[in-house]
Amino acid sequence: MVSTQIDWASDTNRALSAQGPVVPSNRIERIDVLRGLALFGVLAINIVFEFRVSIFEQFLPPAGTIPAIDRALSDVLVSGDR
């Protein structure tokens, strides 16, 4: 009968000795893309909320044409008065 017992200590030691940069051929590109999109999202949110820069301001209608409910919601959500 063949033993299927795993030697966890040798696997752990092998994993610890193999720490370091991953060879580009072993990288999972989809994870890199998702990580990049997540970092871009964090950067965009920080720019908008920390520096009060509206990236999408160029796509919004002029201030006088925004309905009152939209102005009120924008004031509450962006300025954090409530």
Side-chain angles (χ1 to χ4, degrees):
M1 188 167 195
V2 178
S3 175
T4 58
Q5 183 177 2
I6 298 173
D7 185 9
W8 294 105
S10 67
D11 287 344
T12 304
N13 290 336
R14 190 174 335 126
L16 290 176
S17 65
Q19 286 182 349
V22 176
V23 181
S25 62
N26 290 341
R27 295 188 65 89
I28 301 172
E29 293 172 3
R30 291 181 181 179
I31 291 177
D32 290 339
V33 169
L34 287 173
R35 199 175 284 146
L37 289 173
L39 287 173
F40 178 74
V42 168
L43 176 67
I45 294 299
N46 283 331
I47 287 173
V48 170
F49 287 105
E50 293 296 325
F51 303 114
R52 302 286 186 225
V53 175
S54 179
I55 298 172
F56 305 106
E57 188 174 353
Q58 61 185 345
F59 301 112
L60 297 174
T65 61
I66 299 175
I69 187 70
D70 288 342
R71 283 193 308 263
L73 287 174
S74 175
D75 289 343
V76 169
L77 295 176
V78 174
S79 66
D81 290 338
R82 293 183 185 198

